[in-house]
Amino acid sequence: MKIICKSAAARLTKTELLVVLGKEGVKVTLPAGVTVPGIALETFGGTERETRLTDATGGPAKRVLMIGLGKGEPELEVVRRAAAIAVKKAGKIGAGSAVVWTGAVFGKEAGGFGQALAEGAMMGAYQLTDFLRKAPRVVERLAIHGDAALLAGVGRGEITGGANCLARRLQDMPANHMRPRDMVSEARRIARGSAAIAVTVLDEKAMTRLKM
């Protein structure tokens, strides 16, 4: 899944799913031009992990998914879970692209909120598909709208979330497909992508010499 950072001032582009985060007791604010049936807004309470999926009646989004963060200032783990719910729901309805619209609901330091959003999205999209004949549909592109501080956090979260998914993949792989030499290959692949990382492989003789 690719995460795209967009300014809060950027115009909302055509998307299969618009994700809007809301708080309990606070009326949900939709992006300009986006409209949904009134009953959807009236029945959405914003409680933690509450969801309301509806067709849009106007604007560039085909569907709108509202996700609740609960009362007051949301904990970052709540934000992560909300992002994971969003990408899982998007995959379930077959949406190849989605947009997350935060509005002004975060309350938390914007960078931490953005990082939690990206981490939750990355981890929510994780699936081990190496042994499936047909991989399930997942969101290929997720755009997150926010200010500069929030988007800086999104960049960090994409890295830490991706690292978490890599660790899960290595752990989830069957032992006969993740032998020591396979681990070495993974380490070298990572090192090739960064000038700051080097890999040294120690065999049994080298470990004995180093008294390991």
Side-chain angles (χ1 to χ4, degrees), residues 2-171:
K2 184 176 183 180
I3 295 182
I4 309 295
C5 293
K6 290 195 172 186
S7 167
R11 195 179 79 173
L12 189 66
T13 56
K14 187 176 180 180
T15 182
E16 296 175 67
L17 181 67
L18 170 65
V19 179
V20 180
L21 305 177
K23 295 196 297 185
E24 187 174 353
V26 179
K27 186 178 179 180
V28 171
T29 302
L30 298 174
V34 176
T35 58
V36 298
I39 189 67
L41 291 174
E42 292 170 9
T43 58
F44 177 70
T47 58
E48 188 176 321
R49 302 192 205 180
E50 179 185 356
T51 62
R52 183 75 74 253
L53 178 65
T54 182
D55 291 334
T57 54
K62 184 177 180 180
R63 293 180 177 177
V64 175
L65 172 65
M66 294 175 279
I67 303 178
L69 299 177
K71 286 185 177 180
E73 187 176 339
E75 295 294 328
L76 295 183
E77 184 58 27
V78 173
V79 178
R80 289 187 190 94
R81 291 182 181 275
I85 289 171
V87 296
K88 286 181 180 294
K89 181 71 77 173
K92 190 173 182 179
I93 65 174
S97 67
V99 172
V100 176
W101 182 271
T102 61
V105 301
F106 40 87
K108 285 272 185 189
E109 184 269 320
F113 186 94
Q115 181 172 340
L117 263 182
E119 288 172 345
M122 294 293 292
M123 291 185 281
Y126 167 79
Q127 296 183 64
L128 182 66
T129 59
D130 298 57
F131 309 102
L132 298 178
R133 291 184 179 179
K134 184 178 180 181
R137 183 104 186 256
V138 295
V139 178
E140 299 173 357
R141 181 177 180 274
L142 180 70
I144 299 178
H145 287 248
D147 62 19
L150 185 141
L151 296 181
V154 169
R156 293 192 299 271
E158 187 173 8
I159 294 170
T160 54
N164 183 285
C165 292
L166 172 62
R168 289 175 65 181
R169 180 178 177 276
L170 297 180
Q171 182 180 7

Side-chain angles (χ1 to χ4, degrees), residues 176-190:
N176 61 325
H177 286 271
M178 192 50 63
R179 299 156 296 183
R181 62 173 175 266
D182 298 314
M183 292 286 287
V184 170
S185 296
E186 289 284 350
R188 286 175 171 161
R189 180 184 63 79
I190 295 170

